[in-house]
């Protein structure tokens, strides 16, 4: 599944895969700094509460942590959406990384940024599945969602070009939140 998008995108002009990789690295900053940290702590707390069968407390903690994390994370979405050109220019514009590369990377970053709130929700819902030991349900729902994702990637890249990949990611993550 991770090679399929690269296969589709590699058929476009040279440098598109590199631009995508650079945009993905910038998009992962909020995930690595905030989401993974919050998710790890949340997972421990949810496991403790599930062991004590305190389901109302699980719900309360999940809602509280989700809303506070989204409060921190959503500005990154707007930052990437509104200022992707400037961010990419500041971080990468040097050496052989020219204005054309900035524009291409910024376009990917703009659409990848839309996925950040959904990454929060998916990470936290995954922790709920693990804490409640609903692995079979998580497996089958994940299987359905990932098959849908591969199909969406194909369609979106076919209709929107290379930028269809980050649009497919944001759409896929939105659907997976609804399914989970």
């Amino acid at each position: 599944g991770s090679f399929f998008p690269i296969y589709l995108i590699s058929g476009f002009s040279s440098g598109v895969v590199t631009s995508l990789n650079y945009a993905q690295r910038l998009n992962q900053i909020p995930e690595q700094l905030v989401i993974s940290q919050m998710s790890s702590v949340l997972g421990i707390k949810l496991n403790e509460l599930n062991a004590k069968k305190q389901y109302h407390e699980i719900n309360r903690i999940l809602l509280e942590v989700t809303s506070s994390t989204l409060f921190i994370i959503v500005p990154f979405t707007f930052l990437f959406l509104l200022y992707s050109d400037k961010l990419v220019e500041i971080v990468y514009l040097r050496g052989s990384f020219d204005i054309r590369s900035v524009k291409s990377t910024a376009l990917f970053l703009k659409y990848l940024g839309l996925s950040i709130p959904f990454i929060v929700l998916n990470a936290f819902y995954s922790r709920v599945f693990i804490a409640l030991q609903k692995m079979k349900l998580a497996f089958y729902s994940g299987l359905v969602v990932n098959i849908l994702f591969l199909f969406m990637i194909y369609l979106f890249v076919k209709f929107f070009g290379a930028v269809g990949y980050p649009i497919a990611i944001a759409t896929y993550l939105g659907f997976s939140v609804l399914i989970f």
Side-chain angles (χ1 to χ4, degrees), residues 79-146:
L79 184 70
F80 290 166
L81 188 63
L82 299 173
Y83 300 108
S84 59
D85 287 338
K86 286 294 180 195
L87 287 169
V88 172
E89 191 176 306
I90 290 168
V91 175
Y92 293 127
L93 187 62
R94 58 185 53 81
S96 60
F97 204 92
D98 58 7
I99 293 296
R100 187 180 69 89
S101 302
V102 167
K103 295 291 183 196
S104 176
T105 304
L107 185 62
F108 282 122
L109 181 62
K110 180 181 290 191
Y111 291 111
L112 284 170
L114 296 174
S115 66
I116 295 172
F118 299 124
I119 292 170
V120 170
L121 297 172
N122 274 294
F124 290 178
Y125 290 151
S126 296
R127 294 297 183 164
V128 171
F129 278 122
I130 292 168
L132 298 177
Q133 299 175 359
K134 302 288 185 184
M135 300 313 293
K136 191 179 281 191
L137 177 63
F139 173 77
Y140 289 117
S141 61
L143 184 65
V144 168
V145 166
N146 284 314

Side-chain angles (χ1 to χ4, degrees), residues 68-84:
S68 62
T69 305
L70 285 173
F71 181 76
I72 295 168
I73 288 297
V74 167
F76 282 100
T77 297
F78 289 109
L79 184 70
F80 290 166
L81 188 63
L82 299 173
Y83 300 108
S84 59

Side-chain angles (χ1 to χ4, degrees), residues 2-72:
S2 61
F3 290 111
F4 183 64
I6 301 302
Y7 168 74
L8 291 175
I9 292 173
S10 66
F12 293 98
S13 64
S14 65
V16 172
V17 174
T18 303
S19 291
L20 174 63
N21 285 331
Y22 281 125
Q24 286 176 321
R25 289 184 188 273
L26 284 176
N27 192 59
Q28 288 172 349
I29 291 172
E31 183 178 355
Q32 292 173 356
L33 292 177
V34 179
I35 300 170
S36 64
Q37 308 302 319
M38 298 293 280
S39 175
S40 297
V41 174
L42 177 66
I44 294 167
K45 185 65 176 173
L46 294 179
N47 285 331
E48 290 175 3
L49 293 172
N50 184 51
K52 297 176 185 175
K53 308 286 187 215
Q54 296 178 341
Y55 301 116
H56 290 294
E57 188 67 10
I58 288 174
N59 189 48
R60 187 189 69 76
I61 296 282
L62 180 64
L63 290 174
E64 186 177 301
V65 171
T66 300
S67 62
S68 62
T69 305
L70 285 173
F71 181 76
I72 295 168

